[in-house]
């Protein structure tokens, strides 16, 4: 842009920007999703979104659920995505006795995502350090919907999550640290 004659002072780089015309807080969507999932106002809904692959490290979120439930019995977890690790996730939930508290939603259309982000009370992104995962677009999308984010300190999460300011960072791969969120 500078080579094209635009002053550097007029240029602003937006990393992982979100189109607020399609991703934004949606109260009607919030109510509809919570009703669809049977989530009352007394429940706290956590949400994870991502492919079921190792670098997203959703396993940390599933392992953390038993610790979170020990502190907050009214917590439920919704998960958007699919992939090869489904059986592993189910075995963790069965072993920990938390499978009844999890809603696997499969793939969701982009046009429906605002409703799901809006429906949750806290968004979780437990990315893993190895294999490397950059900033997942779902983090700024959840933020665009006004959702607090609890994310690992891996990848690019700390580019947009300032610990204790607009969310919380936990040690990557540590379900106990993730579970220390204050609801």
């Amino acid at each position: 842009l500078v080579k094209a004659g635009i002053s550097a002072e007029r240029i602003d780089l937006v990393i992982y920007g979100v189109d607020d015309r399609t991703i934004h807080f949606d109260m009607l969507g919030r109510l509809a999703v919570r009703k669809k999932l049977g989530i009352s106002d007394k429940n706290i809904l956590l949400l994870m979104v991502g492919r079921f692959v190792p670098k997203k490290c959703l396993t940390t979120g599933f392992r953390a659920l038993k610790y979170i439930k020990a502190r907050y019995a009214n917590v439920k977890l919704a998960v958007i995505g699919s992939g090869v690790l489904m059986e592993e996730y189910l075995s963790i939930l069965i072993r920990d006795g938390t499978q009844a508290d999890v809603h696997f939603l499969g793939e969701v259309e982009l046009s429906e995502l605002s409703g799901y982000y809006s429906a949750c009370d806290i968004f979780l992104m437990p990315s893993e350090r190895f294999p490397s995962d950059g900033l997942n677009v779902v983090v700024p999308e959840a933020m665009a919907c006004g959702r607090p984010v609890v994310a690992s300190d891996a990848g690019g999460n700390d580019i947009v999550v300032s610990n204790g300011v607009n969310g919380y960072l936990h040690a990557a791969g540590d379900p106990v640290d993730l579970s220390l969120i204050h609801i």
Side-chain angles (χ1 to χ4, degrees):
L1 293 172
V2 172
K3 287 181 181 178
I6 298 174
S7 167
E9 292 80 33
R10 297 188 61 214
I11 300 170
D12 192 14
L13 176 61
V14 178
I15 299 175
Y16 295 100
V18 174
D19 184 349
D20 63 2
R21 294 169 295 177
T22 56
I23 302 290
H24 53 82
F25 183 77
D26 176 3
M27 180 54 89
L28 293 177
R30 175 183 172 83
L31 297 173
V33 167
R34 289 179 78 95
K35 181 177 180 180
K36 174 182 171 182
L37 299 177
I39 305 293
S40 77
D41 289 340
K42 294 179 183 177
N43 291 120
I44 298 163
L45 182 60
L46 308 176
L47 175 66
M48 292 193 297
V49 177
R51 291 176 292 124
F52 296 179
V53 296
K55 71 181 185 175
K56 301 300 179 192
C57 205
L58 301 183
T59 53
T60 300
F62 292 122
R63 288 185 176 120
L65 187 57
K66 72 178 177 182
Y67 301 112
I68 296 168
K69 295 282 300 171
R71 294 174 60 216
Y72 306 101
N74 60 335
V75 167
K76 302 292 182 187
L77 172 63
V79 184
I80 295 173
S82 63
V84 298
L85 296 178
M86 182 67 166
E87 292 301 317
E88 179 180 335
Y89 298 161
L90 289 173
S91 69
I92 292 167
L93 298 171
I94 290 167
R95 181 196 69 218
D96 292 346
T98 54
Q99 72 273 17
D101 298 305
V102 179
H103 298 272
F104 284 99
L105 306 172
E107 302 296 323
V108 171
E109 294 293 325
L110 179 63
S111 61
E112 299 175 22
L113 274 178
S114 282
Y116 285 96
Y117 287 126
S118 299
C120 81
D121 298 298
I122 300 172
F123 183 78
L124 304 179
M125 186 68 255
S127 302
E128 185 56 79
R129 192 166 309 284
F130 300 107
S132 175
D133 195 20
L135 175 64
N136 296 279
V137 72
V138 297
V139 173
E141 285 178 349
M143 295 171 104
C145 293
R147 305 297 82 194
V149 174
V150 175
S152 68
D153 59 1
N157 292 329
D158 63 353
I159 293 172
V160 295
V161 178
S162 296
N163 197 35
V165 177
N166 63 352
Y168 294 94
L169 296 170
H170 66 85
D174 187 341
V176 174
D177 194 33
L178 188 159
S179 74
L180 298 176
I181 60 176
H182 297 286
I183 297 175

